[in-house]
Amino acid sequence: MSEKPSSFSIKNWAQDDQPREKLLYKGKSALSDAELVAILIGSGNREESAVALCKRILSSVDNNLSELGKLSVEQLMEFKGIGEAKAITITAAMELGRRRRGGEALEKNKITSSTSVFELMQPIIGELQHEEFWIIYMNNSNKVIQKNQLSKGGITGTLVDVRLVLKNALQLGATGLILTHNHPSGTLKPSEADKQITQKLKVAAESLDIKVLDHLIITEKAYFSFADEAFL
């Protein structure tokens, strides 16, 4: 009986089974998620190939790449064959993917609906385990001038500085604001505090001829729009 090889390095596989060559000759869309992640890690462990290992990792998160992106370096290292360097590589790749989604949304640059706000902000705050409050500053054509994190807090809530919001708006020459924050709990129902800060900012902004156009509560897969639901 032949001795089991000590490593299933991709370079030792048959060419048809090599993810790198498959990507090169058949295109990136021909690869499965597991094969793409296998390219990142390069090799598996003594018992399984890189692709088999990546299939197991993905299986642990129900083959959901968004859930894979939430795994910490330490959690990835719990899989045999994933050391710190490989875990960091996977984490970095997932973060690049998240940022790319945000960049694609920003390229559109113009807010046309609550959906476009969600597409812009979900990659930034939709999957966080703590609450963050962001302001989108826009000109009179509803084009995004800037988006700023206003506060970062625990799961129970954030602090919002109205004066800072308006100071930034004046400095940027913004004529419209959209408020956004996430609910790590997943609930889309606005709290009384959410309603109060929306009204407070709306009244304060109006005195400077600046409009609060919407306030979105964002979760991983959905959102609540104050404007759409006639809360403004």
Side-chain angles (χ1 to χ4, degrees):
M1 191 172 178
S2 61
E3 194 174 310
K4 185 181 288 187
S6 60
S7 175
F8 283 87
S9 175
I10 288 175
K11 65 183 179 182
N12 294 324
W13 299 355
Q15 184 166 315
D16 287 346
D17 296 328
Q18 294 180 9
R20 290 186 180 89
E21 282 70 18
K22 188 173 180 181
L23 187 151
L24 185 62
Y25 295 111
K26 297 183 180 180
K28 57 190 178 184
S29 61
L31 277 70
S32 66
D33 291 346
E35 288 172 325
L36 289 169
V37 180
I39 290 175
L40 295 174
I41 67 172
S43 62
N45 55 47
R46 292 175 67 88
E47 287 81 33
E48 56 192 346
S49 68
V51 172
L53 173 56
C54 292
K55 283 181 179 179
R56 188 159 59 85
I57 294 171
L58 284 166
S59 178
S60 74
V61 291
D62 296 323
N63 296 302
N64 186 313
L65 289 175
S66 292
E67 293 300 315
L68 177 63
K70 294 179 185 179
L71 295 182
S72 66
V73 169
E74 292 74 19
Q75 288 174 313
L76 287 167
M77 288 174 63
E78 292 176 4
F79 292 91
K80 184 178 179 182
I82 301 295
E84 185 178 70
K86 290 180 180 179
I88 289 172
T89 299
I90 294 171
T91 301
M94 294 297 104
E95 177 63 14
L96 279 173
R98 185 190 69 80
R99 293 185 186 186
R100 180 185 177 189
R101 287 165 56 202
E104 287 172 345
L106 187 58
E107 281 173 10
K108 297 175 184 177
N109 210 29
K110 188 171 182 178
I111 300 299
T112 56
S113 65
S114 57
T115 300
S116 59
V117 179
F118 177 73
E119 290 173 348
L120 176 65
M121 295 305 299
Q122 192 280 336
I124 299 172
I125 62 175
E127 298 177 6
L128 298 179
Q129 297 304 306
H130 60 271
E131 194 167 310
E132 292 188 2
F133 201 106
W134 285 64
I135 305 292
I136 301 172
Y137 296 92
M138 298 181 299
N139 64 18
N140 56 12
S141 298
N142 287 345
K143 287 188 176 181
V144 175
I145 301 173
Q146 196 172 96
K147 60 187 192 305
N148 290 343
Q149 181 196 86
L150 184 63
S151 64
K152 176 180 178 180
I155 290 177
T156 55
T158 62
L159 298 174
V160 176
D161 188 332
V162 174
R163 291 174 298 177
L164 182 59
V165 173
L166 298 180
K167 177 185 176 182
N168 289 341
L170 292 172
Q171 289 176 337
L172 293 167
T175 58
L177 305 175
I178 292 181
L179 323 177
T180 68
H181 77 283
N182 62 312
H183 276 182
S185 65
T187 179
L188 290 173
K189 184 178 180 181
S191 67
E192 285 305 313
D194 294 337
K195 296 175 186 177
Q196 289 170 9
I197 193 59
T198 303
Q199 190 62 25
K200 187 175 181 180
L201 275 165
K202 179 183 176 183
V203 171
E206 283 176 348
S207 67
L208 299 173
D209 292 325
I210 298 171
K211 294 182 179 179
V212 172
L213 301 172
D214 204 348
H215 183 173
L216 263 69
I217 297 171
I218 292 174
T219 62
E220 184 177 353
K221 296 180 180 178
Y223 68 90
F224 178 94
S225 163
F226 277 58
D228 291 352
E229 301 299 328
F231 273 52
L232 279 175

